[in-house]
Amino acid sequence: MGRSKHNKREATADTAGDKKNKRQKREDYRTALRENGSTELPRKKHYRQRAHANPFSDHKLIYPPHPELMNWSSMYPHYVAEEGPADQAQTDAEVLPDRDSEVLKPKKLTQDVEVADIGCGFGGLLVALAPALPDKLILGLEIRVSVTQFVEDRIKALRAQNEEQKLYRNIAVLRANTMKFMPNFFTKGQLSKIFICFPDPHFKARKHKQRIVSTTLNSEYAYVLQPSGIVYTITDVPDLHEWMVGHFEAHPSFERVSEEEQEADPCVTIMRTETEEGKKVERNQGKKYVALYRRLEDPPHE
């Protein structure tokens, strides 16, 4: 009996040691990839993480108190606007009214971020949208740390590989919890497109409150979307599709895009074929359910 317990302890220790070694190897790989300035595309096996993250947990995220203080310059360095002496003086003297300390205003971009991919995963849609929407700044939002790092390294490598062609400069990724902080990053009517691709179904009824489409969240999407802006949704789960359709159709700020217009939209083809989940569904010969919703004009104030 004692021998059996001893063997179990040894096996447990070996398993823990293996996990630690694998974790260290992943960290060493990522560090080397970044420090060496490599143009090599990152490999997913070094960025593995649990498929789901609880959006209600404290993820120790950093976010601006309001969109005007979001610093996009490091994410889109090729779109940073040049500042004149007057602008610089104003920046240096900027003080928030609700802060005791001096806060520098972030550098401005020549244009605003206009397209958001919520839960961008490993960045397949981002990478495919970059050349398809060359005049738009596109942002992927992802809550998982390792997955966000993968997309960062992927974009960095793609930019380096295509430096002469100046490709992939218009995409970036941000670790963020969209369910909590979306209005902290975007102003009213800033976005023209929002993609919600293969979101976590949260099958259990008690977890439906964690779904990325809800009455409350749809109001936030309506707030950050400009009139005529589009929300793109796709899933391989019929129940989730019906849930998203039901919530958007019940919301007064949205109307469903006709199937004819939907199928003529090149972004729909990209959304169907270029996401990692979309490719997995294709391999498994599954069905993909698509629905698009247009942001309506707000009714005039009486």
Side-chain angles (χ1 to χ4, degrees):
M1 192 71 168
R3 182 67 178 173
S4 175
K5 287 184 178 179
H6 177 72
N7 290 340
K8 285 182 179 179
R9 283 197 296 270
E10 282 190 340
T12 302
D14 290 342
T15 301
D18 289 342
K19 287 183 178 178
K20 186 175 181 180
N21 289 336
K22 288 180 180 178
R23 191 182 308 117
Q24 187 61 50
K25 286 180 180 178
R26 288 197 295 267
E27 290 175 0
D28 291 344
Y29 170 85
R30 297 180 206 175
T31 301
L33 194 67
R34 292 186 172 193
E35 290 182 353
N36 296 338
S38 174
T39 59
E40 174 192 347
L41 287 170
R43 288 176 283 177
K44 287 182 188 176
K45 69 177 184 179
H46 297 293
Y47 298 80
R48 290 299 178 189
Q49 192 170 342
R50 289 178 59 187
H52 311 297
N54 183 353
F56 300 129
S57 295
D58 179 11
H59 294 277
K60 298 180 180 179
L61 296 166
I62 298 173
Y63 56 93
H66 54 81
E68 287 75 14
L69 287 180
M70 177 59 193
N71 186 2
W72 300 105
S73 61
S74 63
M75 302 168 66
Y76 302 96
H78 299 92
Y79 291 85
V80 175
E82 293 185 8
E83 290 184 339
D87 294 327
Q88 187 60 48
Q90 182 181 359
T91 298
D92 293 341
E94 178 70 16
V95 179
L96 290 181
D98 57 341
R99 296 289 191 275
D100 294 330
S101 60
E102 188 174 284
V103 179
L104 298 182
K105 287 180 68 176
K107 294 179 180 179
K108 294 182 179 179
L109 300 183
T110 54
Q111 62 188 86
D112 290 331
V113 174
E114 196 176 318
V115 179
D117 178 13
I118 297 176
C120 68
F122 289 95
L125 181 66
L126 280 178
V127 171
L129 286 176
L133 302 173
D135 59 336
K136 308 289 186 187
L137 292 189
I138 308 166
L139 179 70
L141 297 147
E142 175 59 50
I143 197 170
R144 293 168 292 172
V145 180
S146 293
V147 179
T148 303
Q149 290 176 346
F150 173 88
V151 181
E152 286 178 353
D153 293 341
R154 184 179 185 182
I155 292 172
K156 183 179 178 182
L158 287 170
R159 286 177 179 175
Q161 290 177 3
N162 298 272
E163 189 170 1
E164 290 186 8
Q165 295 88 349
K166 300 180 180 180
L167 296 176
Y168 304 104
R169 295 178 174 183
N170 62 327
I171 57 173
V173 65
L174 175 70
R175 184 171 179 248
N177 185 344
T178 308
M179 290 184 71
K180 286 186 176 182
F181 304 122
M182 193 163 191
N184 292 77
F185 295 103
F186 307 113
T187 58
K188 180 176 174 61
Q190 178 175 334
L191 302 180
S192 63
K193 298 178 187 294
I194 293 176
F195 290 87
I196 302 174
C197 301
F198 300 98
D200 191 333
H202 293 295
F203 288 108
K204 296 179 181 177
R206 63 184 175 85
K207 289 196 172 185
H208 284 179
K209 61 185 178 182
Q210 296 185 25
R211 286 180 169 177
I212 198 66
V213 168
S214 67
T215 302
T216 302
L217 290 172
N218 286 0
S219 293
E220 294 195 359
Y221 302 148
Y223 176 80
V224 298
L225 265 178
Q226 58 189 239
S228 299
I230 303 290
V231 177
Y232 296 73
T233 72
I234 184 170
T235 180
D236 61 324
V237 180
D239 171 67
L240 180 59
H241 174 67
E242 292 172 8
W243 168 281
M244 293 193 289
V245 166
H247 279 77
F248 273 111
E249 292 194 346
H251 199 286
S253 294
F254 292 99
E255 67 174 5
R256 189 164 182 176
V257 172
S258 69
E259 188 169 352
E260 182 181 5
E261 183 181 345
Q262 171 185 299
E263 296 308 309
D265 189 330
C267 289
V268 171
T269 302
I270 294 172
M271 181 175 68
R272 277 198 179 110
T273 60
E274 297 301 327
T275 65
E276 282 76 10
E277 285 296 323
K279 292 176 181 178
K280 188 186 300 182
V281 173
E282 198 73 34
R283 289 194 298 270
N284 295 333
Q285 298 182 332
K287 187 173 181 180
K288 303 169 190 176
Y289 302 89
V290 175
L292 273 56
Y293 285 87
R294 178 179 288 106
R295 171 70 161 93
L296 299 172
E297 293 273 1
D298 290 327
H301 295 290
E302 295 183 0

